[in-house]
Amino acid sequence: MAGLNIAHVLISSAKGIGSAEPPVEQLLAKLKRLQQDKSALGEEIQEIQAIKESLQKEFETVQAESLQLEVIHKEKEELCQKLQYLCEESEQDFARQLKHNKSTEDLSEQYKCEIQAIKLKHRKLRMKFENHLYQLIEQKKNLCQTEFQLKLKMLRIQKVNCQMLKN
């Protein structure tokens, strides 16, 4: 509607006076209404343009945030994979350690049983030795007593012999 102005309308309406065209006041009112509508439409277009720019900026902001979130998500996925790997590795280490501990416990239990068996064997040997020693001590006592008694008998016999010789 930029090509439409009041002078142009007035000239064309002056040529057409007496013709079947509407009166000038009506045309001027219509022109004024159209200019107001044009102005209102221009303001609406500016508002829509401002909204479009605002939405475009918001879209770009959201898109930038989306890219940042994708980068963060990718980093977190990589970190998660590393942590999963470390976790699996730790579980394997734990299983190996558990197996090692079990074998160490089994070996320790085996040694404990062997030590107990050796202690029992030594205890039996010690008891056998003590019994044998006790028997030897008793035999020695008996021999000592027998020896003493024999010496006494010998002394008596000698005494009797001496007396018999004197007689």
Side-chain angles (χ1 to χ4, degrees):
M1 303 247 161
L4 190 64
N5 62 31
I6 297 177
H8 187 314
V9 171
L10 289 176
I11 293 172
S12 37
S13 58
K15 288 181 185 176
I17 295 181
S19 65
E21 291 186 21
V24 173
E25 292 89 26
Q26 233 182 358
L27 289 174
L28 284 175
K30 189 174 183 179
L31 176 65
K32 189 174 183 179
R33 190 174 37 84
L34 288 173
Q35 285 177 339
Q36 288 173 348
D37 287 348
K38 178 185 173 188
S39 174
L41 285 174
E43 289 175 8
E44 279 186 41
I45 289 173
Q46 285 179 347
E47 285 177 23
I48 290 171
Q49 197 65 22
I51 291 171
K52 179 185 171 192
E53 289 173 6
S54 171
L55 288 174
Q56 183 64 33
K57 285 180 184 177
E58 189 175 334
F59 173 75
E60 289 171 0
T61 302
V62 168
Q63 197 173 25
E65 287 177 8
S66 173
L67 288 174
Q68 286 177 336
L69 290 174
E70 285 178 12
V71 168
I72 291 170
H73 178 71
K74 187 175 180 181
E75 289 172 353
K76 287 189 177 189
E77 276 185 336
E78 289 173 0
L79 180 62
C80 182
Q81 287 174 350
K82 287 178 185 177
L83 289 175
Q84 269 185 319
Y85 174 76
L86 289 175
C87 185
E88 289 171 4
E89 198 172 271
S90 294
E91 286 174 353
Q92 290 172 355
D93 285 346
F94 179 74
R96 276 193 295 272
Q97 189 66 35
L98 198 60
K99 185 178 178 182
H100 176 73
N101 287 350
K102 176 70 174 139
S103 86
T104 302
E105 281 180 17
D106 291 346
L107 195 58
S108 175
E109 190 63 32
Q110 179 185 347
Y111 289 156
K112 185 178 173 184
C113 290
E114 289 176 6
I115 289 170
Q116 291 291 23
I118 291 171
K119 282 183 179 180
L120 182 62
K121 184 178 176 183
H122 284 171
R123 188 177 305 128
K124 285 181 180 178
L125 286 173
R126 188 177 67 242
M127 288 174 72
K128 186 177 178 181
F129 173 77
E130 286 174 357
N131 284 338
H132 188 64
L133 182 62
Y134 178 74
Q135 288 174 357
L136 287 175
I137 290 173
E138 287 299 315
Q139 284 179 358
K140 184 175 183 211
K141 279 184 190 176
N142 289 340
L143 283 175
C144 285
Q145 283 178 352
T146 306
E147 182 185 358
F148 181 70
Q149 288 174 356
L150 282 176
K151 281 186 182 180
L152 280 177
K153 276 186 182 180
M154 292 273 284
L155 281 174
R156 273 190 234 141
I157 291 175
Q158 280 179 354
K159 191 177 179 185
V160 168
N161 241 352
C162 275
Q163 281 177 356
M164 282 174 89
L165 285 175
K166 279 186 186 179
N167 286 347

